[in-house]
Amino acid sequence: MRSRRFLLGLLLAFAPMLAFAQAAVPVASLDRDKIGLGETVTLNIEIGDETPDAPDLSPLTPDFVVLGTSTNHSLSIVNGRRESHTILGIALRPRREGHLTVPALSIAGQRTQPLSLDVAPSSDAGGAAADRPVALEGKAEPTQAYVGQQIDYTLRLYFAVNLADGQLGDPSAEGAEVRRVGQDANYQTVRGGRRFNVVERHYAIFPQHAGTLEIQAPTFQGTAVDPTDANSFFGAGEPISAVAERVRIDVRARPASAADGAWIPARELKLSLDGIPVDGKARVGQPITLNMRLEATGIPFEALPALSLPKLDGADVYPDKAVTGGGSSGSWVTGRRQQSFAVVPTRPGTLHIPETTLHWWNVVTDKAEVATVPAHDIAVGAGSATGAPAAAPPPASQDGRAPEAAHASTAGGSAMATPGQPDMPWRWLFIGALALWLATLAAWFVLGRRRRGKTPPSVVGAPVVPAVTRERPAHDAFLKAASGDDLAGMERALLQWARIVRPSFRTLGELSASLREGAQRDAISALQRARFAGGEAPGGTLRAAFANGFDWLPSTSVNGGEGLPPLYPR
């Protein structure tokens, strides 16, 4: 009793530590790493929690002025699993120029990493703009980009008057896609000895063609009012306007050294695959759900390539519907694509899932890179039609004949014979196994009656299910099952019918491998796809394909395997 209480207390003591270990590590980033004195920078903290606690911002005050905070939530449900992300934005204005360090912050019980920021002296343009009550400035980064690469366009509206209304236009660029990123930041700054209110807005621009990209100047139209003038409250304000300067970007074509396939210019990219069994084991006929996930920064999800698994040797692959989504990390867009696959092993042995590669271009380092998912091997054991583990088929003797003993299947009443003996031996094994099954049933009745002190009934006249020994009733039973919508019933009926002809079959995969290419294999694939990937019941297809019996392969066939090519081969 004491030992149990001690173990329970130990588990309760370590429970908070386990929860802490499972919490997502917050990731901090800056929308820019170089700014001018008097400008603002946004510190973004991404955490995997929908409602995080507010962090302690006091470590920022020695070198920065905290202008405000904003929160952006995103929620997605993938295969029934809820995933939430929160990005906390903190607008900062440096107190001095030079090389500054954004210190680590404590949030959600963990600490972010420190970040570096270079603050340059105020520019001369700031002094000139200080002479105007309203100024509009646009800045693009980088000034040289590849086709499809994101350009961060920052638009800032400076105004030193009271605005009654205003309309801020968006930039435009012919031959490029323009989309707004994140929320507006509002703060104050001093330029030329004059204090201005600032509205800062970010846009993502994706050039579609090589050459010179000209970003058209956005405009601002508004009405300024004087709070000391009583007439200004009756619409007697002064109209004001501002226009930003045009910005030109040198757009380069896809480099010749880039790999063939999809062109992915990104700042960061991750490719992962999960769902591999922890113990590295699986069963024939039992599906394995694999999830491939692709995440990129600096490129939208629409530009990410489709994910796929090739035809695996020894397994059928059924893809699910892809799940896509996007967001932002600071001023950079993010895209993600996830694809699930139901992998159904069709024979015992080693299922090899080869290495998967994806070529992409790192625009930060200006170099080609490769994202890799390592290869995996899964040990596949024999399975049974009922889903319970089944023993592997007994090995053949040295002279090539099947062993004299065989195991009977109580679910379908069929015998497990050695694969590769499709002629006479399996008939005798089947008859012997059936006789053993009947003898076992009779002994069970006799022992049961003796325990109750009653005379055991005769089992000579016990009825035998026609589908166990006769092919025609099994065929009719399958056609009847195919008329309904019970997918598992269709599979059982088809396997029971096939075992009357060839008792060695245990799964639909083995049956499909023994049939000719054509309608029957396609019908079995449609049935498995409906079971494991949510398709419609292919009853009509099954009835039409198997109406006239099985279309067997010749006695010898070669199953050649092909290796898995790269996701985007060179």
Side-chain angles (χ1 to χ4, degrees), residues 129 132-136 157-161 163 194 196 220 224 240-242:
R132 300 189 299 269
V134 177
L136 192 61
L157 173 65
Y158 297 86
F159 58 97
V161 294
L163 296 177
R194 190 177 184 183
F196 284 84
F220 172 77
I240 57 175
S241 62

Side-chain angles (χ1 to χ4, degrees), residues 275-282 288 290 378:
I276 301 295
V278 178
D279 57 358
K281 297 180 181 180
I288 306 169
L290 300 181
I378 301 175

